[in-house]
Amino acid sequence: MARESLPQSDGPFLLAYEPVWAIGSGRAASVGEISAMHDALRNLAGPQTPLLYGGSVKPENAGALAEIRNVDGFLVGGASLDPETFIKIAAQLNEAERNCERASV
Ligand SMILES: O=C(CO)COP(=O)(O)O
């Protein structure tokens, strides 16, 4: 059923996992929950599809969430309303990407 809900066109798309209970609640999904879901989505969507996590992403958890395998980015809601907060989250994603590149060299 999940496979049928993916776009049928050949064009690129992003796929997001956003548990409804995590949206605006201040409580993000756990690393284990996100990891399991994103691994399953990677198998479903293939290697080229960027996978985003959304739900209570904030500077305090962005670093740990960005390190999860198969998390390529975030959907940021409330924390995007303050530019400085948003930039802190973006910086942690960049740092995680640099760590990943270092680890693969
Ligand atoms: O709805 C969201 C992004 O689409 C997430 O919102 P919060 O980051 O405020 O939980």
Side-chain angles (χ1 to χ4, degrees), residues 1 6 14 16 22 26 29 31-32 37 46 51 55 57 63 71 77 81 86 94 98 101 103-104:
M1 183 168 125
L6 294 178
L14 307 171
V31 169
M37 182 60 76
L51 302 178
V57 176
V71 169
L81 299 176
F86 187 64
N94 279 337
R98 276 198 295 275
E101 285 166 6
S104 65

Side-chain angles (χ1 to χ4, degrees), residues 18 22-24 55-57 75-78:
E18 191 170 47
I23 298 171
S56 296
V57 176
L75 283 177
V76 184

Side-chain angles (χ1 to χ4, degrees), residues 67-78:
E67 294 287 345
I68 300 172
R69 182 184 59 228
N70 289 323
V71 169
D72 301 311
F74 299 133
L75 283 177
V76 184

Side-chain angles (χ1 to χ4, degrees), residues 57 75-87 89:
V57 176
L75 283 177
V76 184
S80 70
L81 299 176
D82 175 45
E84 288 185 16
T85 303
F86 187 64
I87 286 168
I89 293 170

